[in-house]
Amino acid sequence: MPTKTFLKLSENKRAQIENAAIHEFAQNGLHGASVNALVEGSGIAKGSYYQYFSGMDDVFQHVLSIARQKKLALANELSSSDAREIFAYLRWLFQVEILFELREPELSSIEHHAFLENVNSRAPRDENAPLIGGPSFFNEFLAQGILADDVATWVDTKLAAHLLGAAYHLMTRQLIVRLGDSADALRSGKTDIREDPLTQSMLDNLMDLLEAGLAREPAIRKDFYSK
Amino acid sequence: MPTKTFLKLSENKRAQIENAAIHEFAQNGLHGASVNALVEGSGIAKGSYYQYFSGMDDVFQHVLSIARQKKLALANELSSSDAREIFAYLRWLFQVEILFELREPELSSIEHHAFLENVNSRAPRDENAPLIGGPSFFNEFLAQGILADDVATWVDTKLAAHLLGAAYHLMTRQLIVRLGDSADALRSGKTDIREDPLTQSMLDNLMDLLEAGLAREPAIRKDFYSK
DNA sequence: ATACAATATGACCGTTTGGTCACAGCAATC
DNA sequence: GATTGCTGTGACCAAACGGTCATATTGTAT
């Protein structure tokens, strides 16, 4: 984490440093970034930089925490109408993710980088943080779903949690591509995402895919094939 | 692609170079690898290396093609009993992927790196290659499924294709972790994956998740909730 | 005004990076 | 033996890398 010296910095100076880091990491991820680029982008001396952060990892973690903070704020802003039902909650999660990607594309990119670079490594995950979209998050999510009788008991929660995690992290960009021109209205807030027909129809489709797989007994499913 | 000089090399020398590259890329991906490491691992002079390849990308593409080749060979080896039904084919795909990860973990890692680094970048995908697991592959897969009446017509194939792609690339390692000790028997070939109860039960669960979402009319689904 | 601590600075360090190139070795042709 | 063309080599390059540190500047307490 940053030193106390950094935390004492003036608002705009800190913002300048953070924005440069956000820009760099969003483009190149953690592994692709360079300290020199971070420093030059910040407009301060290199020595100062090392007085604020212990190294690149430190900066990345800090920026990542900013991203998560902002997403949390956005999530609070977009209150969910009926989060009790578990698939309504999942749908709400995707809406938050879409809005976050639209409004804070760089911070969103950083989160994706963090997720993917974590997946990529064979190192054991950090299970300590029950983060939104993290490895243990959807596990807990599904466990709750079973308790609430929204998810079928036969579902292998660990397996399904990974499936949800993959969908959660990899689907958003595709959804946004599909939004096309109507993305602008969502980004600016002119359209409420909860009432945007295109978004909702895509989410209908996606949620149907997921919900059908999670909510039903396979024996019952087999009896009522669509064909 | 490699120069003709490289293709004229003796078997063991070429293998030595390729193995070094495989090792390096499996560990660090394309972006994390270094030319120097590739050269030193190969035991040849740097000048020679640049006589074989135009640069790191070139080596990576070559190694990637090796990986795809080997996976194809493995796929041919593991003949599918009933590939006509589309979900049986999907199940077979996952089995191939599991075996590939078990028997050629480094090549598999390279493939995953290629996929993830591609996802990560905002650059447009290469749609020219209808590769197994590639962006257009599952699209075509689902289109066929609809024709064969295995997939419901209401399914948004592009959306679902991305979901399948995500599952395909991110689930395998989790599946293998869950295999635990029985992985060794599969790796050595002592157990046929098509008859391994643990594998099949996990695939049952995974396929149920996917199949239920893809095969059924949402209206029908809603009538027959498991609860 | 003085003293002392906290902060800011960029020149500088050794290392590693991707890439080149003049030269050496070698086999085939004349 | 001389000539030619292909292959192999590692010293060498400029640039970039992460990181340090003596020094300069600023802030604060006395």
Side-chain angles (χ1 to χ4, degrees):
Chain A
M1 54 180 185
T3 62
K4 46 206 100 172
T5 312
F6 176 72
L7 300 174
K8 278 191 275 179
L9 250 43
S10 73
E11 193 62 37
N12 33 5
K13 190 167 185 181
R14 213 174 66 204
Q16 199 177 356
I17 294 172
E18 287 173 348
N19 287 337
I22 288 169
H23 194 69
E24 171 73 3
F25 285 129
Q27 271 199 326
N28 305 321
L30 171 56
H31 295 322
S34 100
V35 173
N36 289 333
L38 293 174
V39 170
E40 282 169 30
S42 303
I44 61 172
K46 203 186 227 180
S48 304
Y49 212 89
Y50 277 94
Q51 212 154 21
Y52 302 150
F53 303 100
S54 66
M56 222 170 40
D57 290 11
D58 200 9
V59 188
F60 188 75
Q61 287 304 321
H62 176 65
V63 163
L64 190 56
S65 81
I66 292 178
R68 289 169 175 167
Q69 221 168 285
K70 283 237 178 168
K71 183 148 88 174
L72 207 61
L74 183 66
N76 286 331
E77 185 188 318
L78 187 80
S79 68
S80 68
S81 51
D82 49 353
R84 287 191 317 156
E85 209 272 311
I86 204 139
F87 289 108
Y89 177 63
L90 188 58
R91 171 188 284 255
W92 171 77
L93 268 185
F94 273 100
Q95 291 177 10
V96 171
E97 191 66 16
I98 291 171
L99 270 189
F100 188 56
E101 167 89 25
L102 281 175
R103 301 210 175 142
E104 300 284 357
E106 291 193 321
L107 292 181
S108 178
S109 169
I110 287 170
E111 265 208 323
H112 289 322
H113 270 108
F115 172 76
L116 291 176
E117 291 181 3
N118 216 357
V119 164
N120 234 357
S121 78
R122 289 176 183 264
R125 313 284 188 82
D126 56 335
E127 293 285 349
N128 46 1
L131 200 70
I132 293 183
S136 53
F137 175 80
F138 284 114
N139 231 323
E140 180 61 24
F141 172 84
L142 287 168
Q144 293 291 336
I146 289 184
L147 284 182
D149 217 5
D150 289 329
V151 173
T153 52
W154 62 268
V155 169
D156 182 331
T157 52
K158 280 192 182 174
L159 219 57
H162 268 78
L163 186 62
L164 283 183
Y168 181 69
H169 283 95
L170 295 185
M171 293 299 293
T172 317
R173 191 158 298 165
Q174 171 63 10
L175 288 172
I176 285 174
V177 168
R178 297 282 295 281
L179 279 177
D181 294 335
S182 59
D184 286 333
L186 291 174
R187 185 168 15 239
S188 66
K190 213 161 75 179
T191 305
D192 188 329
I193 192 171
R194 287 162 293 193
E195 289 158 15
D196 179 55
L198 181 51
T199 306
Q200 294 303 322
S201 82
M202 283 199 301
L203 284 180
D204 281 342
N205 221 301
L206 181 58
M207 296 307 299
D208 274 330
L209 290 179
L210 296 174
E211 190 172 345
L214 292 172
R216 312 196 67 265
E217 299 286 349
I220 297 182
R221 171 183 52 70
K222 274 169 186 137
D223 289 339
F224 294 93
Y225 251 67
S226 64
K227 55 176 165 181
Chain B
M1 55 179 187
T3 62
K4 46 205 100 170
T5 312
F6 176 73
L7 300 175
K8 277 192 276 179
L9 252 42
S10 71
E11 193 61 37
N12 33 6
K13 191 167 185 179
R14 213 173 65 205
Q16 199 177 357
I17 294 172
E18 288 173 347
N19 287 337
I22 288 171
H23 195 68
E24 171 74 3
F25 285 128
Q27 271 199 325
N28 306 322
L30 171 56
H31 295 323
S34 101
V35 173
N36 290 333
L38 292 175
V39 171
E40 282 169 28
S42 303
I44 60 173
K46 202 186 224 179
S48 303
Y49 212 89
Y50 276 93
Q51 212 153 20
Y52 302 150
F53 302 99
S54 66
M56 221 171 39
D57 290 11
D58 199 10
V59 187
F60 188 75
Q61 287 303 322
H62 175 64
V63 163
L64 190 56
S65 82
I66 292 179
R68 288 169 175 167
Q69 221 168 288
K70 283 237 179 167
K71 182 148 89 173
L72 207 61
L74 183 65
N76 286 332
E77 186 187 318
L78 187 81
S79 68
S80 68
S81 50
D82 49 353
R84 288 191 314 158
E85 207 274 312
I86 204 142
F87 290 106
Y89 177 63
L90 188 58
R91 172 188 283 256
W92 172 78
L93 268 185
F94 273 100
Q95 290 176 8
V96 171
E97 192 66 15
I98 291 171
L99 270 188
F100 188 56
E101 167 88 25
L102 282 176
R103 301 207 176 144
E104 300 283 356
E106 291 194 320
L107 292 181
S108 179
S109 170
I110 288 170
E111 266 209 323
H112 288 322
H113 270 109
F115 173 76
L116 291 177
E117 290 179 5
N118 215 359
V119 163
N120 232 1
S121 79
R122 287 176 185 266
R125 312 287 188 82
D126 56 334
E127 292 285 348
N128 46 3
L131 199 68
I132 292 184
S136 53
F137 174 80
F138 284 115
N139 230 325
E140 179 60 25
F141 172 84
L142 288 168
Q144 293 292 337
I146 289 184
L147 285 182
D149 216 5
D150 289 329
V151 173
T153 52
W154 61 268
V155 170
D156 183 331
T157 53
K158 279 192 183 174
L159 220 55
H162 268 77
L163 186 62
L164 283 183
Y168 181 70
H169 282 95
L170 294 185
M171 294 297 294
T172 318
R173 192 158 297 168
Q174 171 63 10
L175 288 173
I176 284 174
V177 168
R178 298 282 297 279
L179 279 178
D181 295 336
S182 59
D184 286 334
L186 291 174
R187 182 166 21 236
S188 66
K190 212 161 73 179
T191 305
D192 189 329
I193 194 172
R194 288 163 292 192
E195 290 160 14
D196 179 55
L198 181 51
T199 307
Q200 293 305 323
S201 81
M202 285 198 301
L203 284 180
D204 281 343
N205 221 302
L206 180 59
M207 296 307 299
D208 275 330
L209 290 178
L210 296 173
E211 190 171 346
L214 291 172
R216 313 195 67 264
E217 299 286 350
I220 298 183
R221 172 182 50 69
K222 271 164 190 144
D223 290 339
F224 293 94
Y225 251 65
S226 65
K227 56 176 165 182

